[in-house]
Amino acid sequence: MLLGMTRATTAAPAAPAEVLPATGPAGAEAIAPPRGKQMRRMSASHLLVTLAALPLAQWPSLPNASQGASHDGTIGPHAIHQLRITTRRLRALIDVFSPWLKPRWHRRLKAELRWLSHSMGPARDADVLATTTLPALRAEYPDIDWPTVDAYVAKLRGDARAKAAEALASERQRALHALLLKAFGIGEDGHAERRAAKALRPPSRTPGKRPRALTKHAHNVLRARYIALFPDCRQLAMLDTEQLHALRVKIKKARYSAEALAPWLRKAIRSPYQDTLHAAQALLGDLNDAVVAQRVFADMPLSAAQRDTLVGRLDTIIVNATSRAAHVLCHLPDAHTLEHGMRKG
């Protein structure tokens, strides 16, 4: 049931030619993730650089700053979507494995990845508005002044795409990519070498280099991310949109932490836990898209009656998404079940 409630992809499917290949040297081998049992036997630092190599292999090839103005059209919704996923997973790894990273590197990587993610946010929101939210509203309300809406959103989308393209084609983006490769010791073949990773702390300044230290840390992170969901996940009807957005951020942290630390969760608890978090995140994402659309309509040159009609429909979407998310979150395991679903090593 939960799997049927997940969110449809928001990337526009219209232009597959815009998808840019992942960055990587010619002839580089595909990187296979380690098996769960193998991961539990690895040291934290070894596991961190191994996992970091996976999303970095998916980093798309982007135009440089001198090409940015003429390549706005090539940085399409799919490339932005892929890079957002990559940065999201890297941020989750940096967060989960922070005790094994040098503080200066941790702060710098976290700040730069946040900058890149925020640079792409408005373009992603505008793409969702144009390709998902507006078509649904148009089908329900054909008498709205849609030419005015389309013209306004087209300009909004163009401006957001231009800003995203500027950031993605910038030297700062290229420097960040190089910094990440250096931080995690990623070689020309795309594989990680722990001894070449500049961001790792000396073993004496970490919680430990043995697998048992990582197991203890994994359990603590899983517990902390789970506890952070309460009490808000049990009282969604009482939360305003800002609080619901904050809850969605906590759900994303719990979900990506559970993915990174999946080998420490038994399958019987891992699958339903991750499915529940994914479904709730998708529904609260739909809610956030409706809130974004309301803010756009507030500034749009429409008659008051048409604006009220659209905003009212979006209010209904927000209420329904909140109700469905509350229902989905009822399927979260209780603390006792989660605790007993953790592997000991």
Side-chain angles (χ1 to χ4, degrees):
M1 181 178 69
L2 292 174
L3 290 176
M5 300 179 71
T6 57
R7 189 184 191 190
T9 180
T10 59
E18 292 183 349
V19 178
L20 299 172
T23 298
E29 299 179 0
I31 303 174
R35 296 177 177 274
K37 190 173 183 179
Q38 180 185 0
M39 291 171 66
R40 292 194 299 274
R41 292 177 175 176
M42 295 168 70
S43 67
S45 58
H46 187 189
L47 179 58
L48 170 57
V49 298
T50 301
L51 293 179
L54 301 175
L56 280 170
Q58 301 303 316
W59 197 282
S61 178
L62 298 167
N64 60 37
S66 63
Q67 297 173 317
S70 60
H71 283 70
D72 288 356
T74 66
I75 305 180
H78 186 87
I80 291 175
H81 178 69
Q82 179 62 48
L83 192 52
R84 280 171 61 84
I85 291 175
T86 297
T87 56
R88 211 177 279 162
R89 298 195 185 286
L90 287 169
R91 290 173 73 181
L93 287 175
I94 290 169
D95 180 46
V96 168
F97 290 92
S98 59
W100 282 270
L101 290 171
K102 295 175 182 176
R104 180 173 59 87
W105 279 86
H106 177 262
R107 289 192 298 269
R108 187 177 178 189
L109 293 172
K110 186 176 180 180
E112 290 301 292
L113 286 169
R114 185 191 301 115
W115 161 77
L116 185 59
S117 180
H118 288 181
S119 297
M120 297 181 286
R124 178 264 173 206
D125 288 343
D127 286 336
V128 172
L129 179 63
T131 63
T132 304
T133 308
L134 290 188
L137 292 173
R138 191 191 304 267
E140 290 189 61
Y141 304 102
D143 296 330
I144 296 293
D145 182 7
W146 289 111
T148 297
V149 174
D150 290 341
Y152 188 93
V153 172
K155 184 180 185 308
L156 184 74
R157 193 181 187 191
D159 291 344
R161 289 277 294 276
K163 289 182 179 178
E166 182 181 359
L168 298 186
S170 68
E171 286 300 322
R172 186 173 179 180
Q173 179 275 138
R174 295 165 67 84
L176 170 58
H177 185 222
L179 184 71
L180 287 163
L181 297 178
K182 183 178 180 181
F184 299 113
I186 310 299
E188 292 184 358
D189 61 354
H191 289 77
E193 173 53 56
R194 179 178 48 178
R195 286 172 293 184
K198 301 298 184 182
L200 295 179
R201 274 182 166 179
S204 61
R205 297 188 178 183
T206 68
K209 60 180 181 179
R210 295 183 180 276
R212 71 179 68 176
L214 179 54
T215 297
K216 181 179 179 180
H217 177 72
H219 291 182
N220 289 338
V221 170
L222 290 168
R223 291 188 196 102
R225 298 293 182 269
Y226 174 84
I227 292 170
L229 301 177
F230 297 89
D232 286 351
C233 71
R234 293 290 188 250
Q235 54 186 26
L236 267 68
M238 300 172 61
L239 306 180
D240 59 28
T241 54
E242 292 297 327
Q243 291 170 320
L244 287 167
H245 176 71
L247 175 60
R248 181 169 176 256
V249 172
K250 293 178 182 178
I251 289 172
K252 286 198 293 185
K253 281 191 172 185
R255 178 190 167 198
Y256 292 125
S257 296
E259 285 184 359
L261 300 173
W264 286 271
L265 285 171
R266 300 183 190 279
K267 186 176 180 180
I269 187 69
R270 180 177 70 244
S271 295
Y273 184 47
Q274 291 181 343
D275 289 346
T276 299
L277 293 172
H278 182 244
Q281 178 185 336
L283 287 165
L284 292 177
D286 292 339
L287 183 154
N288 186 65
D289 294 338
V291 172
V292 169
Q294 285 186 329
R295 292 171 181 165
V296 172
F297 286 135
D299 297 327
M300 199 174 289
L302 289 174
S303 68
Q306 291 188 354
R307 184 182 295 106
D308 289 345
T309 296
L310 294 174
V311 170
R313 180 67 182 99
L314 291 167
D315 276 333
T316 301
I317 292 173
I318 290 171
V319 171
N320 289 343
T322 303
S323 177
R324 293 177 65 193
H327 174 73
V328 166
L329 287 169
C330 288
H331 292 81
L332 281 174
D334 58 46
H336 179 80
T337 302
L338 181 68
E339 189 70 29
H340 282 264
M342 294 183 191
R343 295 183 183 274
K344 302 305 179 185

